[in-house]
Amino acid sequence: MYMASVTLAASGEATHRELDPHLLVDLLWALAEPGLGIEHMRVATSPGRIEVVFFSTAPDAHSVAVTGIHLCETATSSAPQLRGWFVVPLAGNEGPGLQ
């Protein structure tokens, strides 16, 4: 099993809202297709910041990271509850989600 994390940040008025982590998990599960290998998600929220950790049976950590980023980007672009939120780009040469 592999793990990858994705950070979301808020802009504008969304910086003052703290999301219910259970709501976000439900949104992400609704977007996750069975073949992606996602086994578990863990979400921690605070005003203006969300940390999502994905646990998956994917073939490697990079695949989990790419899947997690894609799910989070899809959620932020389609769910009204996530209006004003965006996926934080990763710095350095670690690759997506490999921090």
Side-chain angles (χ1 to χ4, degrees):
M1 180 154 319
Y2 291 96
M3 175 185 91
S5 64
V6 178
T7 301
L8 303 174
S11 61
E13 291 181 22
T15 58
H16 303 292
R17 288 187 312 223
E18 186 171 343
L19 291 175
D20 176 358
H22 302 292
L23 171 69
L24 182 55
V25 168
D26 289 345
L27 288 169
L28 292 170
W29 275 122
L31 296 169
E33 298 174 18
L36 294 176
I38 302 290
E39 294 287 322
H40 181 70
M41 295 179 211
R42 188 161 175 92
V43 174
T45 64
S46 60
R49 187 174 181 88
I50 301 170
E51 298 291 334
V52 184
V53 180
F54 295 92
F55 298 87
S56 174
T57 58
D60 55 59
H62 179 77
S63 297
V64 180
V66 169
T67 296
I69 289 168
H70 175 72
L71 287 173
C72 288
E73 287 177 340
T74 302
T76 58
S77 67
S78 62
Q81 300 90 333
L82 293 172
R83 186 169 293 123
W85 291 85
F86 62 94
V87 175
V88 176
L90 298 173
N93 297 318
E94 298 90 359
L98 306 177
Q99 303 174 2

